[in-house]
Amino acid sequence: MSDFSLMGLKAPTVIFGAALLLLALALPPWFGSYHHYLASLALINIIMAVGLNILTGNAGQISLCNSSFMAIGAYATTYLSVKLGLSYWLALPLGGVISAISGFFLGFPALRLRGFYLAVVTLGFLEVSQILIEQLPGITGGVRGISSPRPALFGHTLSSDLSFYYVILAITLATIWCAYSLLRSPTGRAFEAIRSSEAAAQTLAVPLAQTKLAAFVISAFFAGIGGGLFASLVGFIDPLEFGVWTSVRHVVFIVVGGLGSITGSVVGAIVLTVLPEVLRAFKEYQEFVFGGLLLVVLILLPHGLVGLGPAIRARLTQSDATSVAAAQRGVAE
Amino acid sequence: MTITRRETLGGALAAGFTLAAGTASAEEIGLTKDQILIGGYGPITGPAAYIGLGARDGTELAIKEINDAGGIHGRKLKLVFEDDGFSPSKALASVKKLVEQDKVFMMLGLSGSNPTVGTVDYSKEAKIPSYAVLASAPQYTHPFNRYLFRGGATESLRYGELNAEYLMEFLQAKRIAMLSGTDENAKNEGDNTERMLEKWYGVKLLMRAEFKVGDKDFTPQLLQAKAANPDVIITLAQVPEVSILLRQARELGIKQAIMGSPAAVDNGVIAGAGLNAEGYTGGWLSGQFLDSVHPDMVKFREAWAKLHPDAPKGRPNLFDVLGYSEMYVVAEAMKRAGPDLTREKLVDALETIENYKISEIATPRTFTKWHHIGNFRMQYMVVLGQHFVPVRFDPHRESEILKEYKK
Amino acid sequence: MTTSIVLQLIVAGLSSGSIYALVGLGLMLAFKGTGIVNFAHGELVALGAYAALFFSVVLKLPYWQVFILTLIFCGVVGVLLERTLIRPLMRAPSFTIVVATLAIGLMIKNVLRLSWQESVSTFATPFDELSLRVGEISINPHYVWIISCSFAIMGLLALFFRKNLTGKAMQAVSQNTTAARLMGIRVSRIFSLTFAVSSAIAALAGILMAPVVGVEAEMGSVILKGFVAAILGGFNSLPGCVVGGLTLGLLETFGGAYFGGTFKAVTAFVLLMFVLLVRPHGIFGRAEARRV
């Protein structure tokens, strides 16, 4: 292991991140709009995964309604910029804030629940938000969907997918940086504490309710921003786009990538955005193949793709020993 | 990958020859000396998979028949089909892939309204001839665009007009109640039927109640409808909902006629509701019903079965028929465009299509220079003796859509 | 509203309620026995319905044989699922298991959707020709069959857990796996058995539902109602789950009849929120005992 580190990041992570960033900056002009569009979707998925991972991976709260917050962000941004004529660059963060406020309200009943009780309640929230989108056609366009135009920057409409890609890339990087700083802050450590043991966290004077609420609010804000970007990237949104399978996909990103890890979120989101495009060759059997691949990965790597590296490294340290042992047993059986 | 590269090379060569031959056309993408590459997208995964699977296989059948007969001016047709999972964002990705990776000559939209609408801006920008077979959303043909055509399904307002005329002039109903799903298709058809009843006949609905796709119990909505005492109840929903609804209506002692939407004129309704489906009526988008003994339909079914000997139950469906018959409309236009086919010439040729249909399984299509809505008709059907049989009803009122275009 | 309509609503509500209870029961059983929340349970319900459809329409077997064969078939599928896919994941983090069961469900659903493409299908039952008339209303005899059959099965299950040795062993494993193992219970065999019974109950819900709502690939969505029923019962009590399911069924049907369709759509979740906030351990539940 190397002694080199940057802001507390290990060398492999830094090298990996720098290489990825270089590719993200330099490659796109060589490709066409189809690839820019896919890359933009991958970046938005990274935002969704990073946000959800804070709630689920770090604070330990399962959520199956991440797509609802994405929808709230998407519809709010569209409404504010199209109907109220606000600048997109104001509407986008406002969409995030509105989404965060809804996260706050969901967080309240969720405070008392854990595990799959929470999963079912979040499913309920998703159902209710879908009904609201359908029943408020004046704001959302209802089931017919609504157009969401591309924004302008310095007087130029970002109509090309390449220019909008760079905007999304910048926002994604900012998101990752925010998440990274957050997790290193006392709040981030409080998340870890309540995930490991709520009782122990309380004895350490971690304010349980506040911390959990903060996790809900932050992840909803991220999802809202991602939703706002998604709306103007695609240019047209309808409620089916934000259904339960979208939420499940976000959970799959972080479980396959690695719970509680930003690298995991990034890797999971990229892999699972590219994979369906590769699976196109399987035609109508692609969902079946996807499910099968997913199962294989989960059985072989129950701690996700990033579980591979630490599993080897953690042999030296004692802290992760139990989970590694569990992982190995999982593989052995 | 290699295939794409070879085709591009071939395309460039072919274009080179055309230039050498002295025609004005620039190199045309997706076209070689012996092949026309057609892109198609629709849902083949997810709950709406039955739409895309049918439309894709029907199109493939037509292409096989055309190719077996020698192709079009010596060129064979080839379909590259991509899944859109009934999602606008995935449909856009599919269309971008087809245009930029596969470099197709033209696009067949084999998906529902919302995914198709998701691709409209890009298709306009790419100036690629696009033929939507199943989408009914007005955004596709309004405002008019030279490159976008709508066959198969008609525009959503037209469903409303036809339903209103059928209700008032054929069924002679005075008091009408409506039960509709909250999905896009049902909502549009419901709103437009309500609007046209009022605009053309001054008739207001007695009541309208909604339910969600996937609901299994319609007692509340049916009780409301029963209380209003209508002559006809019109239900706009998908097959699973309608088959339950018909049975529950009879269980609740509702004896009135029940009419459905083209989405639920399907043998599944008879299978699900049994004798309760007797007298159920609604519009159908092609010429003959699937189990018709008309020789053209028998021929279609046999050809289809030959191509898919191990077909699953429930196929071919309506979307097989539409994919098949619309592919023939496009092929006819390609034929008319002549051997020096270009995208512009294809658009011009499509605009000469008048009352064209491949056989009696289809209804006629007409496109003009000023409107690209190929279909304004539905064939109404009624369940008699556990079969859908055609009703003799010919709408005579001119569509508001055409009046609007003529202005 | 006339008495006959009220009677109709009661029967309809009880019949959908018993389906919810059965689905909830299957979920609860798997969770109690193995600690796994099986998100593929809804697809097992659909699998049961499709299996019955296949036996009835393709093999043309009579209803009673279809009934038995389907239960056996799905029980075997349950064991296979447990042995091949669930067991390797037993020690994985709980989120991994959630995603894995969702993946299993997705695969089952795709196989069903592609291999039988009718928009909706049904199969014949001996109750099709019967008719129970009350005034101008007729009560669907399937409803009565669903209610009585579900109650019989739930009664049998209760007896099984109380009286039968294997049933008691299953109870023991669910309470404390290590202690059960020390007592000489073969835990892995009990896990398989639990999945067999849970899957067979799912299949039963499928067979019973099919003639009323039709067979289609999306019928697995009933899992949500099953969750609500089980949670209302505190997720650890058989009678609680039954009462939860029936309450939900009746509330939906009557709520819908008096307040309209939108009310019906949100009933389940409003009820769920309410119960979870007032009594987090369900109507009948005791404080949740967690595996640590």
Side-chain angles (χ1 to χ4, degrees), chain B residues 126-140:
Chain B
K127 295 197 169 169
I128 181 165
S130 303
Y131 190 103
V133 174
L134 307 169
S136 62
Q139 293 100 306
Y140 197 76

Side-chain angles (χ1 to χ4, degrees), chain B residues 216 220 247 251 271 313 315, chain C residues 117 122 136 140 212 216 256:
Chain B
K216 305 291 182 204
R247 180 177 52 72
E251 279 168 17
K313 287 251 180 195
R315 296 283 302 281
Chain C
Q117 295 187 11
T122 42
E136 63 167 356
N140 192 326
V212 179
E216 40 140 359

Side-chain angles (χ1 to χ4, degrees), chain B residues 159-160 163-164 167 178 189-197 234:
Chain B
Y159 287 119
N163 281 343
L167 274 166
M178 181 184 287
E189 198 180 338
D191 288 1
N192 285 318
T193 306
E194 190 172 353
R195 194 165 124 208
M196 293 322 293
L197 276 173
I234 173 163

Side-chain angles (χ1 to χ4, degrees), chain A residues 25-266:
Chain A
L25 280 170
L27 274 187
W30 300 92
F31 288 88
S33 125
Y34 164 60
H35 288 104
H36 301 149
Y37 177 75
L38 279 189
S40 307
L41 281 180
L43 289 174
I44 290 170
N45 284 338
I46 290 177
I47 300 178
M48 310 308 296
V50 167
L52 182 65
N53 219 338
I54 292 174
L55 178 68
T56 302
N58 298 105
Q61 311 294 306
I62 195 166
S63 159
L64 289 176
C65 64
N66 207 45
S67 61
S68 299
F69 296 122
M70 187 181 177
I72 293 169
Y75 282 110
T77 307
T78 306
Y79 184 77
L80 292 172
S81 59
V82 177
K83 297 266 172 72
L84 301 188
L86 248 58
S87 154
Y88 180 79
W89 309 108
L90 194 60
L92 183 67
L94 273 179
V97 170
I98 292 171
S99 172
I101 294 170
S102 345
F104 180 76
F105 283 112
L106 173 70
F108 262 113
L111 283 182
R112 303 182 56 165
L113 307 169
R114 87 176 101 237
F116 83 99
Y117 286 79
L118 188 57
V120 176
V121 167
T122 52
L123 272 180
F125 182 81
L126 182 122
E127 190 82 3
V128 172
S129 68
Q130 288 273 318
I131 293 175
L132 279 179
I133 298 175
E134 288 171 10
Q135 297 294 329
L136 298 171
I139 297 171
T140 63
V143 284
R144 291 184 193 103
I146 192 167
S147 293
S148 181
R150 283 285 169 84
L153 190 62
F154 307 125
H156 297 285
T157 308
L158 299 170
S159 52
S160 94
D161 281 338
L162 184 61
S163 53
F164 200 50
Y165 162 81
Y166 280 117
V167 170
I168 299 178
L169 180 64
I171 295 175
T172 310
L173 290 175
T175 313
I176 294 177
W177 183 77
C178 284
Y180 181 67
S181 327
L182 176 84
L183 292 179
R184 282 162 55 91
S185 74
T187 319
R189 286 193 285 274
F191 290 158
E192 294 293 339
I194 56 170
R195 182 179 56 102
S196 323
S197 163
E198 290 193 0
Q202 267 175 317
T203 58
L204 293 170
V206 172
L208 212 56
Q210 255 165 290
T211 313
K212 278 191 186 180
L213 272 181
F216 271 101
V217 168
I218 292 165
S219 99
F221 178 77
F222 281 22
I225 296 286
L229 292 172
F230 178 83
S232 37
L233 173 69
V234 180
F236 181 80
I237 45 174
D238 74 350
L240 289 178
E241 203 83 84
F242 307 104
V244 65
W245 270 103
T246 308
S247 278
V248 169
R249 263 180 53 221
H250 296 161
V251 177
V252 173
F253 291 160
I254 62 173
V255 169
V256 168
L259 281 171
S261 146
I262 292 178
T263 320
S265 310
V266 174

